[in-house]
Amino acid sequence: MVDESKMFERLKSTNMDAYEKEMDQAVSRLEYISSRMRDNLINVFRLDSEGCGQDIELTILRAFLNSRKNEYYENLKLALQWNRNDIAKTDIFTGEEEFKSYQLANLMEMALIQNKPEFVELLLENGLNLKSFLTVRRLCFLYNSQKVCNQKI
């Protein structure tokens, strides 16, 4: 990782030519690495920015999503686990994806059990048919899973 501020402080005392040369070499190395990759899998994140705690979480999640662009179901599961319905809205439900009804049903079960109402709403808005989802068997499963969760507390 190239830390420009530390490099600058170290080279400031010597001369700017050496600093510029070292920066050019670092950029050349990065260009070489990125040219050898099959996809754009390098993400750059500036750690000294304000609010970097949330930003780094978002950067990591987006890096995962970008590395698996066409795996919509897996990406939506990941967004659900990270409780990032905003990312699901903007990066996953783009109109290109197609989910099978059982996939949406599995995600709905997860969202209900994990008490994530934003995802419940999002799944209903994006194709989950509540009438076909809510069977007697599934309702009993959800009720019993909630009882188990409450007993663990």
Side-chain angles (χ1 to χ4, degrees):
M1 175 182 222
V2 178
D3 188 348
E4 186 175 347
S5 61
K6 286 181 185 175
M7 207 183 273
F8 181 74
E9 292 299 321
R10 185 175 52 143
L11 293 172
K12 191 194 302 188
S13 60
T14 57
N15 66 33
M16 283 303 279
D17 289 335
Y19 170 75
E20 288 177 11
K21 182 179 178 184
E22 196 162 331
M23 285 305 294
D24 286 341
Q25 288 174 347
V27 169
S28 294
R29 285 186 209 118
L30 286 173
E31 287 173 347
Y32 174 79
I33 291 168
S34 68
S35 71
R36 299 291 183 243
M37 299 179 68
R38 59 182 165 83
D39 291 322
N40 186 12
L41 298 177
I42 294 178
N43 290 286
V44 178
F45 181 76
R46 189 174 180 102
L47 287 173
D48 63 352
S49 62
E50 289 185 30
C52 71
Q54 279 190 316
D55 291 342
I56 196 164
E57 173 189 317
L58 183 60
T59 302
I60 291 169
L61 180 58
R62 283 216 164 105
F64 281 128
L65 297 179
N66 288 335
S67 71
R68 307 176 323 181
K69 279 209 183 282
N70 295 324
E71 297 178 32
Y72 299 107
Y73 176 67
E74 294 300 321
N75 288 346
L76 193 53
K77 278 186 3 184
L78 190 59
L80 175 72
Q81 292 300 320
W82 286 41
N83 201 23
R84 295 303 302 248
N85 65 312
D86 56 331
I87 299 301
K89 285 179 187 176
T90 59
D91 294 13
I92 300 169
F93 285 117
T94 60
E96 299 172 4
E97 74 289 335
E98 284 195 31
F99 292 100
K100 294 181 175 34
S101 59
Y102 74 89
Q103 291 175 321
L104 291 176
N106 288 343
L107 292 166
M108 179 63 96
E109 282 181 3
M110 291 169 57
L112 288 167
I113 291 169
Q114 296 174 18
N115 194 25
K116 296 184 178 175
E118 298 87 8
F119 271 94
V120 170
E121 186 177 336
L122 188 62
L123 291 167
L124 290 170
E125 291 171 355
N126 287 281
L128 180 83
N129 184 335
L130 189 58
K131 188 174 182 178
S132 63
F133 168 76
L134 202 53
T135 62
V136 172
R137 185 177 186 171
R138 184 167 278 134
L139 188 59
C140 289
F141 168 76
L142 291 169
Y143 177 76
N144 288 328
S145 66
Q146 197 59 34
K147 282 175 49 177
V148 169
C149 289
N150 288 338
Q151 287 177 355
K152 288 181 182 178
I153 297 175

